[in-house]
Amino acid sequence: MSDETEVVTYETRGPVAVVMLNRPQYSNAQNSKVTYALDAAFSRAVDDDSIKVIVLGGHGKHFCGGHDIGTPGRDIHESFDRLAVIWYDHVGKQGVDSRFARESEVYLGMCRRWREMPKPMIAMVQGACVAGGLMLAWSADFIMASDDAFFSDPVVRMGIPGVEYFAHPFVMNPRAAKEFLYTGGRFDAQRAKELGMVNHVVPRAELEDAVMAMAERIAEMPRLGLTLTKKAVNQCEDLMGARAGMDSVFGLHHAAHAHNAEVGADSLAGLDARAMARANKAADGEA
Ligand code: ZN
């Protein structure tokens, strides 16, 4: 199940496609290989007329611990067949020319592409949903979480104002988003539900059944109606500033990366996955 060659699994259950991150040994850390495997799975679901709803989850203890900033499968210097194509390929380029290009494609561009998929998608979240994991869950239409789920975006610790897909002020209110980012601390599933980021919280053992029941209920609606409804809500969210805000914040995000690279050893302020986890645990009081 955790074979590194199959970093994303795909199965259908009647009208529901279940897409699962499959690097549980690394808390489902997202490298580019995962990004493109996710895209292939989503495309398969969108192209299959018998599929009405997509569920996005993760095998193992955690939904997703973030972008891959330290596993042996980290692949930031590899080229892939790009799909978002809002910038050119990053490989063989330097500095901002490389970093901005890469993150435009694999982070901002791909998450946006997935948010715009013409079929509803539910994120099924257990355990950690951290930093890059948030971007995946937020690309879905809504989140159903188990009672052990927690959410955090600790990248301010790197001097960076939040992850690349800056939906924070929209998935929760702006003041909560500030606390979320300023502290880098964990919001548990219940808090996330109170803030509107999560729709339902259920016991861990019941999560999958609850999500499937929801997906099957949605699947009873007509396909075109679902697609038009998804577009309707997304268009209104964009008119409230979601898309333009995200574009403007992406520039701030890259000012931070460039600053780190200019004054230090790398664009992540010298923090790898382990150092981040240590600092986050200390700040959370081992919570
Ligand atoms: Zn970044």
Side-chain angles (χ1 to χ4, degrees), residues 12 18 57 111 121 139 195 197 217 231-232 248 269:
T12 59
V18 180
C111 285
M121 178 158 77
S139 298
L195 292 168
M197 195 218 291
R217 181 171 178 183
K231 295 284 173 195
S248 69

Side-chain angles (χ1 to χ4, degrees), residues 9 20 80 105-106 119 136 141 151 159 205 231 264 282:
T9 62
M20 300 284 282
F80 289 81
E105 163 71 14
V106 294
K119 293 185 180 177
L136 298 181
D141 295 305
F151 304 81
K231 295 284 173 195

